[in-house]
Amino acid sequence: MNTAEDLYNKYVIKNHLLCYPADWYIQKDTFHAVKDSIQPIVNFYEDSGTKERKDTPLDEIIQEPLKDVYTVPFFSQKFCNILLDEMKSLERHFGFKPNPEEDNLRQIPEITFQDNCPQIFQSLMQTIYTIGNPIFLNIWNRHVDSGGIQIANYNLKDKRQGAWHHDASADISMVVPLNTGDYQGGGTEFLKRGTVEPLPTGHALIFPSFTHMHRGLAVESGDRYLLVFWLKCNEE
Ligand SMILES: [Fe+2]
């Protein structure tokens, strides 16, 4: 049974649209490209690599700015605005906290969804299964079945720049900026690969967690909010 204190501390979701994954979450062209790519992706997967994969509409919209670093328009502007608004009320309720399991150099102020807001976590994971997995299958013939999701906040005061690191607890990392244009600086640098400038709001940066050491670049002003997915491929 919940104690009075638990009930007091429980976060109440402001916008319930965030609990029901729907088409409008996803950038329109990507939504249609996923739908039209599923059949050739599934055929290739089921042929166990014995036949060539046919070109897919997703091939047209997934970009590779650095070696094995991919970008794709993912969430719609409308979804990002609503999530950012919810995030401000999550911030008022919980505050951004560094993860105590990470060492000091790698700690970024963050709010994790799986612990603090399981309904939004479920809804975001659902989106990963329906939209993210076809994209990961299109890139690597891999798909994910679990993971963690958080919002990280880079700013001048708390944490301007990340230290070099691997996303140790993941197989596939996906990072989505929620408020590009509201801050200066930022971007992501990959060791020996190069730098990706801040992507437009809602666009996903996707890379393998094991091989790609990276760091967030310094924010010159403002708050840079990133939706970060650390995803696991357990069952193949
Ligand atoms: Fe990272």
Side-chain angles (χ1 to χ4, degrees):
M1 213 174 94
N2 289 327
T3 63
E5 195 187 1
D6 284 343
L7 288 172
Y8 178 75
N9 287 330
K10 201 168 152 41
Y11 176 73
V12 180
I13 292 173
K14 191 174 158 195
N15 194 326
H16 282 266
L17 287 174
L18 292 171
C19 303
Y20 305 104
D23 302 359
W24 65 269
Y25 277 26
I26 305 303
Q27 207 269 351
K28 225 177 183 173
D29 293 344
T30 300
F31 182 82
H32 292 296
V34 164
K35 227 171 98 194
D36 296 340
S37 300
I38 283 177
Q39 200 55 55
I41 289 171
V42 168
N43 289 348
F44 182 61
Y45 188 84
E46 289 185 342
D47 290 339
S48 309
T50 57
K51 293 191 187 120
E52 294 305 308
R53 180 169 75 71
K54 294 210 164 62
D55 289 343
T56 67
L58 274 174
D59 292 336
E60 304 283 313
I61 58 169
I62 298 172
Q63 311 230 312
E64 188 182 5
L66 304 175
K67 179 128 183 57
D68 220 14
V69 174
Y70 302 88
T71 65
V72 64
F74 200 99
F75 292 106
S76 67
Q77 180 75 50
K78 193 176 190 179
F79 176 80
C80 292
N81 291 348
I82 290 177
L83 187 64
L84 197 63
D85 192 49
E86 190 75 33
M87 194 272 315
K88 302 247 160 84
S89 70
L90 277 157
E91 184 174 16
R92 280 192 293 276
H93 189 89
F94 296 107
F96 276 94
K97 293 188 190 97
N99 180 347
E101 286 164 28
E102 291 169 339
D103 69 82
N104 185 40
L105 276 171
R106 270 144 278 266
Q107 285 175 341
I108 308 283
E110 64 192 23
I111 294 174
T112 53
F113 282 102
Q114 56 272 35
D115 313 326
N116 295 320
C117 196
Q119 299 99 315
I120 295 180
F121 173 72
Q122 291 303 341
S123 169
L124 288 169
M125 280 312 288
Q126 197 57 41
T127 307
I128 289 296
Y129 298 141
T130 54
I131 304 295
N133 270 338
I135 291 170
F136 307 144
L137 283 162
N138 198 86
I139 298 173
W140 295 296
N141 211 29
R142 304 292 302 268
H143 61 95
V144 303
D145 60 12
S146 58
I149 308 172
Q150 62 209 278
I151 290 183
N153 176 5
Y154 286 87
N155 59 44
L156 270 179
K157 181 163 62 72
D158 297 320
K159 201 77 173 183
R160 243 177 111 228
Q161 180 168 20
W164 288 109
H165 66 282
H166 287 106
D167 295 337
S169 55
D171 295 316
I172 295 175
S173 301
M174 182 169 119
V175 181
V176 182
L178 294 176
N179 67 330
T180 304
D182 294 353
Y183 54 86
Q184 311 219 287
T188 309
E189 185 177 5
F190 291 88
L191 190 68
K192 295 191 180 161
R193 288 172 205 265
T195 297
V196 179
E197 295 296 311
L199 297 176
T201 293
H203 285 225
L205 178 69
I206 300 168
F207 55 93
S209 318
F210 179 77
T211 48
H212 288 44
M213 206 178 201
H214 59 281
R215 63 176 174 179
L217 294 174
V219 170
E220 309 301 338
S221 69
D223 287 290
R224 178 187 187 218
Y225 293 111
L226 299 174
L227 182 60
V228 180
F229 296 80
W230 286 337
L231 303 165
K232 297 285 289 179
C233 315
N234 294 317
E235 289 167 29
E236 282 294 327

